Amino acid sequence: MPFDLVTYEQRSRSGRCFICAFLADEPDYAHEQIVADDDEHVAFLGKYPTMYGHVLVAPRAHIEHVVRGLDSAAYLRLQALVYRVARAVEAVVPSERTYLLSLGSQQGNAHLHWHIQPLTPGTPYHRQQYHALMAENGVIPWTGDQAAELGTRLRAELATG
């Protein structure tokens, strides 16, 4: 599906932090199903997935820098959750490879977060890597019901895995 990058960028740069808004239960965050929560970090489904199974992992505290914002112990705790969630995503969602990356900017989406993006098997090479991650290339059709179903499956995997 086409993605309105102009509106997204405007909201990201001038609106409230989307992670803080989501954690405060503000309206318009029905797709962000929580799949893991260890009281220090939260993992949730992305609202604008470019691939099925897109999960974000973030500290609950508004931390803005992946290196300067965390000491080594805090960084490793965050990465432990990224790893656990990525393993659960791979167990639930068919994936050729799993992309892990931290995105954001001091100019927009500043709250530290990691993306877990499973690459759909058979994706042509020219549509992999950065191309597969870029919302300007389109997002997958995504409903609240689909998010709820995937969230349930991921939570079950995390509970047993």
Side-chain angles (χ1 to χ4, degrees), residues 102-159:
S102 178
L103 296 172
S105 165
Q106 294 309 114
Q107 298 175 29
N109 290 336
H111 194 130
L112 169 63
H113 60 286
W114 284 87
H115 293 260
I116 300 170
Q117 291 264 53
L119 179 67
T120 305
T123 301
Y125 184 73
H126 70 279
R127 296 187 57 90
Q128 293 184 16
Q129 301 180 65
Y130 290 113
H131 186 280
L133 302 170
M134 296 173 64
E136 49 265 57
N137 293 323
V139 296
I140 63 171
W142 193 235
T143 67
D145 288 343
Q146 290 171 311
E149 187 272 331
L150 179 57
T152 298
R153 292 175 55 212
L154 287 170
R155 284 187 293 275
E157 179 63 31
L158 283 160

Side-chain angles (χ1 to χ4, degrees), residues 41 57-59 70 73-83 112 114:
H41 315 98
V57 179
L70 302 168
Y75 177 82
L76 292 174
R77 288 191 305 274
L78 175 59
Q79 289 309 304
L81 184 60
V82 169
Y83 178 80
L112 169 63
W114 284 87

Side-chain angles (χ1 to χ4, degrees), residues 11 16-18 21-22 26-33 47:
R11 187 199 54 80
R16 176 163 155 79
C17 166
F18 82 99
F22 162 64
E26 290 184 12
D28 198 33
Y29 292 94
H31 291 61
E32 286 90 342
Q33 291 277 319
K47 184 175 185 173

Side-chain angles (χ1 to χ4, degrees), residues 53-74:
H54 177 214
V55 178
L56 293 92
V57 179
R60 283 187 155 275
H62 186 90
I63 296 169
E64 294 190 358
H65 198 278
V66 70
V67 178
R68 293 187 302 261
L70 302 168
D71 63 25
S72 62

